[in-house]
Amino acid sequence: MEEQAKAMKICCFLLFLLLLQVSTTASRRSVKYLPGFEGSLPFELETGYIGVEPDDSQLFYYFIKSQGNPKDDPLILWLTGGPGCSAFSGLVFEMGPLKFDVEGYNGSLPTLLLNPHSWTQVSSIIFLDAPIGTGFSYAKTSLGALSGDFIQINQTVQFLRQWLENHPEFMSNQVYIAGDSYSGITVPPIAQKVSEGNEEGEKPLINLKGCILGNAGTDGVLESNSKIPYVHGKGFISDQLFQSLKTSCGGEYTNIDPTNSECLKYMQDYYKCVTGINVVHVLEPLCYFPSVMKCRDYDYLLSQNWANNKKVREALHIQKGSLKKWIRCNYGINYSRDIVSSVGYHVYLGNKGFRSLLYSGDHDMVVPFISTEAWIRSLNYSVVDEWRPWFLDAQVGGYTRTYSNGITFVTVKGGGHTAPEYKPAECFAMFKRWTREDPL
């Protein structure tokens, strides 16, 4: 009898450990307080993990319910670029309800303030750390740590369907797949895969309405070739050098013939002119040392200090032992860039009647707005709303044009590579008007 009782205790203990492991795999926890923020959070924040294949890899997310009308407001799935940059970057530096108090930082735990231009005022947003190895997402095996465009696409769709199963109250909400920078490569095929899954009867049905992309990488060759005409337009290279580059290189500045010595010579002159330019926002200082407070890289250090704090991790319900050090952008992940161009996916989405908001900060040299404008125009769709300025508080916020395939192209005047980071009020107005289908 004593041996049986002992065996029963062991079985119960093993069952408890199993249940604990299962609850971790499909965790979903409410967060009421965050270290660095005074008082309780004035919005609903949930964090959690959802396991995806292969090998039950764990995708971590921050979910913020709309502060407006969550029953009817759209649901946004947000992916930050990189690949390997945490969606927390979008949460605190772009469109989320929190931001760091950079000016008031005193060397201790960074302080969080409310963002008056948060997109969560009019939408619910899932900030997803994807692909695996990004932010707090992690793999349980070496196989699960392998990633790439197609793996990320499949895992993100798995995640979204499982998330909606766990949150049935959002089944009927309009869904937009969104992101910026490198996410321009993966977001359109994610949306296409969701659409195809809906048509094939996959459950749950996702009420997909379209995509939202900021300064989105779409075709690397086109974007690279657009940089020289872009910087010429900004006055960074002379007319003579620009004409010499066009003539000698034939407009091809990416895959240069190594025997074309004249083109290579002029390219060296070009690099001399732009070496000191901050490519993510050409008017901001180029910072070699992120400790300098006038540089945005200093702001990014605060996110790392905050996310690696033990109390912060406890508040966010981070799985213990899953990650040694949180990095805002982890460029060391094992990632395969499988998709050369995502233009074809945009064609599919337009033909299916989905809407797309493609916005560009016009001071970004990484993905110049002229490259985005060029590939959209190359599709030869008719224009339904011709190029015009749009306004906020009687001032020009940028320029816009809408096409018959459902694409609305928007420039954000003065915006950089992550436009809401530089122009939060303008980008919030743009997002609010577009999601409500109001004139921009």
Side-chain angles (χ1 to χ4, degrees):
M1 289 293 292
E2 187 175 345
E3 289 295 320
Q4 287 181 335
K6 192 182 215 178
M8 183 66 72
K9 286 182 181 179
I10 293 174
C11 287
C12 288
F13 179 70
L14 291 175
L15 180 61
F16 169 77
L17 290 179
L18 178 62
L19 291 172
L20 184 62
Q21 184 177 7
V22 169
S23 67
T24 300
T25 301
S27 68
R28 173 183 171 184
R29 305 286 291 275
S30 177
V31 178
K32 302 293 186 183
Y33 300 90
L34 282 176
F37 186 82
E38 186 176 351
S40 59
L41 296 175
F43 53 84
E44 292 188 44
L45 169 63
E46 172 188 302
T47 63
Y49 296 91
I50 286 182
V52 293
E53 294 302 325
D55 289 0
D56 194 32
S57 299
Q58 298 294 301
L59 286 174
F60 180 79
Y61 69 91
Y62 311 79
F63 170 62
I64 299 170
K65 185 183 289 188
S66 173
Q67 297 161 271
N69 184 358
K71 183 179 178 181
D72 297 322
D73 287 343
L75 174 66
I76 312 298
L77 176 63
W78 179 268
L79 303 168
T80 300
C85 292
S86 172
F88 181 70
S89 188
L91 196 161
V92 292
F93 296 120
E94 297 187 62
M95 71 286 300
L98 296 172
K99 62 179 183 177
F100 285 112
D101 181 8
V102 178
E103 294 182 0
Y105 183 60
N106 60 9
S108 60
L109 183 70
T111 300
L112 291 165
L113 306 173
L114 290 176
N115 173 17
H117 308 295
S118 173
W119 294 10
T120 58
Q121 295 176 65
V122 294
S123 68
S124 299
I125 305 182
I126 308 167
F127 292 94
L128 177 63
D129 277 347
I132 294 296
T134 299
F136 286 118
S137 293
Y138 68 97
K140 294 182 176 181
T141 67
S142 57
L143 175 63
L146 297 176
S147 191
D149 293 336
F150 292 124
I151 293 175
Q152 181 186 356
I153 291 160
N154 290 330
Q155 290 180 334
T156 302
V157 176
Q158 287 180 53
F159 169 89
L160 183 56
R161 292 198 187 276
Q162 289 186 55
W163 191 92
L164 283 170
E165 284 182 351
N166 296 336
H167 299 78
E169 66 272 26
F170 291 97
M171 288 285 193
S172 63
N173 290 70
Q174 295 185 350
V175 174
Y176 290 96
I177 315 297
D180 54 17
S181 190
Y182 191 81
S183 294
I185 293 293
T186 54
V187 162
I190 288 169
Q192 177 169 329
K193 189 171 181 62
V194 168
S195 172
E196 292 171 341
N198 284 345
E199 292 179 353
E200 293 167 3
E202 291 186 24
K203 301 297 181 183
L205 184 70
I206 298 174
N207 187 17
L208 180 69
K209 291 300 177 183
C211 297
I212 301 170
L213 286 166
N215 288 80
T218 305
D219 184 305
V221 174
L222 175 62
E223 285 140 18
S224 181
N225 287 337
S226 296
K227 291 180 182 181
I228 285 177
Y230 175 79
V231 300
H232 173 248
K234 293 296 183 187
F236 298 159
I237 61 175
S238 68
D239 288 343
Q240 292 87 348
L241 177 55
F242 181 52
Q243 293 302 326
S244 297
L245 283 162
K246 282 203 301 181
T247 302
S248 63
C249 302
E252 175 56 63
Y253 311 112
T254 306
N255 301 310
I256 301 173
D257 182 351
T259 65
N260 190 343
S261 57
E262 189 176 33
C263 174
L264 293 172
K265 173 190 176 300
Y266 288 125
M267 285 298 295
Q268 288 179 345
D269 294 338
Y270 159 74
Y271 287 123
K272 288 177 183 177
C273 290
V274 300
T275 298
I277 299 296
N278 184 345
V279 294
V280 296
H281 194 297
V282 297
L283 299 185
E284 293 211 343
L286 180 64
C287 301
Y288 298 100
F289 301 101
S291 59
V292 181
M293 288 192 64
K294 67 179 180 179
C295 300
R296 288 182 186 270
D297 288 357
Y298 177 82
D299 305 9
Y300 304 149
L301 285 179
L302 298 192
S303 66
Q304 186 166 305
N305 294 345
W306 187 83
N308 284 307
N309 180 275
K310 181 181 177 181
K311 291 185 178 179
V312 168
R313 291 196 177 197
E314 290 174 351
L316 293 175
H317 307 294
I318 303 304
Q319 173 67 19
K320 290 183 179 180
S322 61
L323 184 72
K324 290 183 179 180
K325 184 179 181 180
W326 183 92
I327 304 172
R328 189 183 73 89
C329 286
N330 182 8
Y331 295 119
I333 58 176
N334 193 341
Y335 194 90
S336 173
R337 301 189 179 208
D338 310 309
I339 298 175
V340 176
S341 172
S342 59
V343 173
Y345 297 97
H346 283 282
V347 173
Y348 169 92
L349 295 172
N351 291 340
K352 289 292 184 177
F354 293 109
R355 305 174 70 219
S356 293
L357 172 64
L358 305 177
Y359 64 90
S360 292
D362 63 8
H363 282 68
D364 173 30
M365 186 176 155
V366 178
V367 182
F369 76 92
I370 61 172
S371 65
T372 304
E373 184 184 9
W375 73 254
I376 296 173
R377 287 200 343 264
S378 73
L379 301 180
N380 292 320
Y381 287 98
S382 59
V383 175
V384 297
D385 184 9
E386 191 46 271
W387 185 270
R388 62 174 176 82
W390 61 276
F391 295 86
L392 177 65
D393 298 330
Q395 298 296 315
V396 174
Y399 295 83
T400 182
R401 178 188 280 139
T402 301
Y403 295 83
S404 59
N405 65 335
I407 287 179
T408 298
F409 174 60
V410 183
T411 67
V412 180
K413 184 167 69 75
H417 186 55
T418 46
E421 183 175 358
Y422 301 87
K423 292 292 180 178
E426 288 83 354
C427 287
F428 173 59
M430 170 196 70
F431 172 79
K432 180 179 179 181
R433 295 170 191 175
W434 185 82
T435 53
R436 294 184 174 182
E437 300 190 36
D438 293 332
L440 207 62

